[in-house]
Amino acid sequence: MQTTLRGVGVSHGVAIGEVRHMGTAVLEPPAKQIPAEEAEREQGRARQAVEAVAADLIARGNLAGGEAQHVLEAQAMMAQDPELMADVDRRIAVGSTAERGVYDAFASYRALLAGAGEYLAGRVADLDDVRNRIVARLLGVPMPGVPDSDEPYVLIARDLAPADTALLDPTLVLGFVTEEGGPTSHSAILARALGVPAVVALPGAGELAEGTVIAVDGSTGEIFVEPSAEKRAEMEASAAARKAALSASTGPGATSDGHKVPLLANVGGPGDVPAAVAAGAEGVGLFRTEFLFLDDSKQAPSEEKQIAAYRAVLEAFPEGRVVVRVLDAGADKPLDFLTPADEPNPALGVRGLRSLLDHPDVLRTQLTALAKAAEGLPVYLEVMAPMVADRADAKAFADACRAAGLQAKFGAMVEIPSAALRARSVLQEVEFLSLGTNDLAQYTFAADRQVGAVSRLQDPWQPALLDLVAMSADAAKAEGKSCGVCGEAASDPLLACVLTGLGVTSLSMGAASIPYVRSTLAKYTLAQCERAASAARAADSAEEARVAAQAVLSGE
C-alpha cells in the first residue's frame, strides 16, 4: 500500500527505484593499554594513517573536480588539523593505541563543537567521516560506503559525507535520501551539482527496508513508498514533461512578458566553468575564491597564482558579467595565516570582510590580482565583500578597491540582517547588493545552516527571510542600483519566480539548476510573479508561503 513521507527536497528531479542502504561498519576500536615503549611506534602509525586519508580525500577531489574538489580539500585539512593530531599524540603517550587515540581525540573535538553550538558543529558529518576513514585504515577494515550494485537504486543513509557524495555514479544512484542534513549542507550542494534528485532531513528513512521501491521527488521533498502504478506513471510523465521543457528553453532568463532576469552561475573555480557555459549561464553571479587559499592554510597564494586562476574564469565569459567574492575565511573555512585559532564562536567572530580588514595585505593582493587578471578582457567585472554589516564596512571595502586600482563595480553581500535593514545606507558606498540567502537565513533565525534539526528555519521560503529580500531589493531600486541573489534559494524554480516578484534583478545558482529556473520563469508574467511574492510574504510559515505562491502561479 502506498504511503507518503516528507523531508526537505534539495535537488530537483524524480527518482524511482529500489532502496539500497549505505554500508556500515563497526569502527569503535577496543580500549586497551599499550606499553610505554610502543608509544612512538603507535604515534607513527597514526600519522601515517592521517596522511594517507588526507591524500585519498585530495585524490577523490581531483577526480571529482568542481565544487566537490574544494569541499574534499577542506576535509583533508580537517584530517591534518595540528591541534587534533597533538591530542592524538598525547593520548597515545599515556597508553592508547593509535586507533583508540584517534577515535577518542575526534570524539572529544566533536563533543566540544556540538556542545558549544558553534558554526563548525554543522560539519560534524564531515568530521565523523574523517575519523572513520582514519580508524578504518588503522584497524584494517573496509570503509562504510556506497553499496555495490549492478542495477540502479535509490541510496538511503543517515547522512552522506562529501567524499561519498562527490563520487556518486548518477547512472547507478538514481537519487538519495538522508535522515539528517539540511538544504545547504555539503551533500545537498554536491547533489545539485551532480544533478541527482535528493531529499534530506527525513526522520526514519533508515527504517525503509532494503529492496523497497520508492519514488523520490527532489523538488517537493516527498517520498512515496511502494508507489501505485498510477503514481509512478504520473511522476514519470511529469519528469518527461519537465525534461522536454528544459530542452526547449534556451536563451537569456526572462518572464513570459519579456522582463529580463539574468541567470548566472555560482562557480568555485575554473573547473566549474564548462558546466556553467553548457547550461547557458549569462555570466557568473558568485565566483568563490576560497579554493585558491585552501591549498595551503599557512600562507596566502601569490599574486601570480591568483591572476592565472581569475583570468581563466573571466576569459570564459566575454561580454558577460562576472561577480567575484573576495576571500570569505573563518567559521567553517579557517586559515592559519588569517583567522584566530581560539574564537569561541567563529560564525559570529572575525569572519569574511572582518578578517580581510584585519589583514589588509591579503585583501590588497587579491584586489590587485583581480585588476591585473581583467586587463584587456571585454568582461564586466564586479567584486563584492562577504559579511558586510553596515555602511562603515562597505566604505572600507570600496576604499580598498579604489586603492588597488580596480576598474570594476564594488558590491556588498547581504548576509547579516543589519545589512538588509540598512540597505540604502550601505548602497551609499557600493554599486550593487548580492543576497547570500544561506547565511542570511542562518543569522536571521539563529539556526545553523548545516544542522538538520533546525532545517525548517533554513528554508528560504520563510516569510521573514522574504521580507529581508524585499527590503534589500526595494532599497536598490530606490537608489537605481542592482540587487541579485546568489544563495541556494535561487536554484528553486518556483522561488525564483517569487524572488523576481520581490524585485531581485538577477539570480545566480549551480549550473545544473539554470535550465529549470529558465523554463519556469518563462511561463509567467512579471505581474504574476509579483502577486505570488505578495502571497508568499503574507503567509505565516515557509510551507504556507510555498503553497500560496504555487496557488497564484497556477491560477487557483
Side-chain angles (χ1 to χ4, degrees):
M1 180 178 177
Q2 177 181 303
T3 58
T4 304
L5 307 173
R6 183 183 288 275
V8 179
V10 296
S11 184
H12 307 300
V14 169
I16 302 174
E18 292 187 359
V19 163
R20 295 284 183 275
H21 287 269
M22 176 70 81
T24 59
V26 178
L27 291 176
E28 180 174 357
K32 64 179 183 179
Q33 291 291 107
I34 60 169
E37 59 269 19
E38 293 183 15
E40 187 174 348
R41 178 178 66 86
E42 290 295 289
Q43 288 169 340
R45 286 182 63 227
R47 283 191 291 273
Q48 288 175 0
V50 166
E51 292 304 320
V53 166
D56 178 63
L57 289 169
I58 290 171
R60 286 169 175 260
N62 290 336
L63 185 61
E67 181 74 35
Q69 183 172 4
H70 313 141
V71 171
L72 292 176
E73 286 173 350
Q75 205 179 6
M77 288 173 58
M78 183 184 289
Q80 298 168 306
D81 182 273
E83 290 189 16
L84 263 174
M85 284 310 301
D87 191 18
V88 171
D89 283 342
R90 283 193 295 270
R91 292 172 186 274
I92 294 174
V94 295
S96 287
T97 61
E99 45 266 47
R100 191 72 206 189
V102 168
Y103 186 89
D104 289 341
F106 271 78
S108 177
Y109 188 43
R110 184 189 199 278
L112 176 68
L113 293 180
E118 296 183 4
Y119 183 84
L120 281 176
R123 295 293 185 238
V124 162
D126 299 12
L127 187 70
D128 288 348
D129 182 58
V130 170
R131 178 202 63 201
N132 288 345
R133 290 177 186 279
I134 297 170
V135 172
R137 181 172 287 273
L138 287 166
L139 290 175
V141 300
M143 261 298 299
V146 177
D148 291 327
S149 176
D150 295 328
E151 298 297 325
Y153 59 90
V154 177
L155 180 63
I156 306 292
R158 182 180 64 82
D159 203 349
L160 281 171
D164 296 315
T165 314
L167 297 182
L168 290 179
D169 181 352
T171 63
L172 282 176
V173 181
L174 302 172
F176 69 76
V177 180
T178 66
E179 293 192 56
E180 300 181 1
T184 58
S185 65
H186 275 156
S187 292
I189 292 170
L190 294 177
R192 286 189 284 271
L194 288 167
V196 176
V199 172
V200 302
L202 179 67
E207 297 173 11
L208 291 168
E210 189 87 1
T212 302
V213 175
I214 64 173
V216 178
D217 189 324
S219 299
T220 66
E222 291 176 304
I223 307 292
F224 301 95
V225 183
E226 298 292 358
S228 64
E230 292 78 11
K231 173 56 70 173
R232 292 182 67 157
E234 174 191 328
M235 294 183 74
E236 287 169 349
S238 175
R242 180 179 292 174
K243 185 176 181 179
L246 293 178
S247 300
S249 177
T250 58
T255 58
S256 63
D257 56 341
H259 175 72
K260 293 182 179 180
V261 187
L263 302 182
L264 312 171
N266 294 342
V267 304
D272 292 337
V273 167
V277 173
E282 297 169 61
V284 173
L286 173 61
F287 179 6
R288 304 181 182 95
T289 58
E290 288 74 38
F291 74 102
L292 278 167
F293 294 81
L294 292 173
D295 286 345
D296 183 355
S297 68
K298 305 295 183 184
Q299 61 183 0
S302 67
E303 181 180 302
E304 291 72 24
K305 182 177 181 179
Q306 292 190 54
I307 291 171
Y310 302 149
R311 195 170 180 89
V313 174
L314 296 175
E315 287 177 335
F317 295 95
E319 306 295 338
R321 177 187 179 202
V322 175
V323 184
V324 179
R325 181 181 69 190
V326 294
L327 175 63
D328 183 12
D332 64 332
K333 298 183 285 284
L335 296 171
D336 292 346
F337 67 89
L338 197 67
T339 48
D342 56 353
E343 282 193 299
N345 194 334
L348 301 181
V350 184
R351 178 190 169 190
L353 179 61
R354 299 167 186 174
S355 294
L356 294 175
L357 294 178
D358 281 350
H359 297 81
D361 54 325
V362 176
L363 177 59
R364 182 169 53 251
T365 298
Q366 184 170 25
L367 294 174
T368 301
L370 283 165
K372 292 181 178 179
E375 286 178 358
L377 295 180
V379 66
Y380 297 97
L381 175 64
E382 301 183 11
V383 183
M384 62 185 182
M387 302 299 291
V388 170
D390 56 16
R391 182 173 179 174
D393 278 352
K395 183 179 187 304
F397 178 66
D399 287 346
C401 289
R402 283 187 283 267
L406 194 61
Q407 299 297 310
K409 285 187 176 181
F410 318 140
M413 291 197 71
V414 177
E415 300 165 287
I416 302 174
S418 61
L421 293 168
R422 300 288 295 171
R424 289 197 71 169
S425 175
V426 170
L427 283 164
Q428 302 311 302
E429 305 294 343
V430 294
E431 298 171 81
F432 68 93
L433 300 177
S434 183
L435 289 143
T437 52
N438 304 344
D439 271 320
L440 185 57
Q442 170 174 248
Y443 292 122
T444 298
F445 298 104
D448 192 307
R449 57 187 281 191
Q450 300 298 330
V451 177
V454 293
S455 62
R456 78 173 184 86
L457 297 172
Q458 268 295 323
D459 192 326
W461 281 94
Q462 285 285 355
L465 186 65
L466 299 181
D467 287 344
L468 292 175
V469 172
M471 292 180 70
S472 302
D474 287 346
K477 183 177 181 180
E479 295 295 328
K481 296 178 179 180
S482 63
C483 177
V485 168
C486 64
E488 292 299 317
S491 64
D492 179 335
L494 181 61
L495 185 51
C497 295
V498 167
L499 294 172
T500 298
L502 292 174
V504 166
T505 56
S506 66
L507 299 166
S508 189
M509 65 209 75
S513 298
I514 291 176
Y516 290 94
V517 173
R518 182 193 293 119
S519 64
T520 303
L521 266 179
K523 297 177 183 177
Y524 307 109
T525 65
L526 176 59
Q528 286 177 297
C529 292
E530 290 172 340
R531 288 196 295 274
S534 295
R537 289 184 67 190
D540 290 320
S541 71
E543 182 58 28
E544 288 177 11
R546 184 184 290 106
V547 170
Q550 181 65 71
V552 170
L553 293 177
S554 60
E556 295 177 7

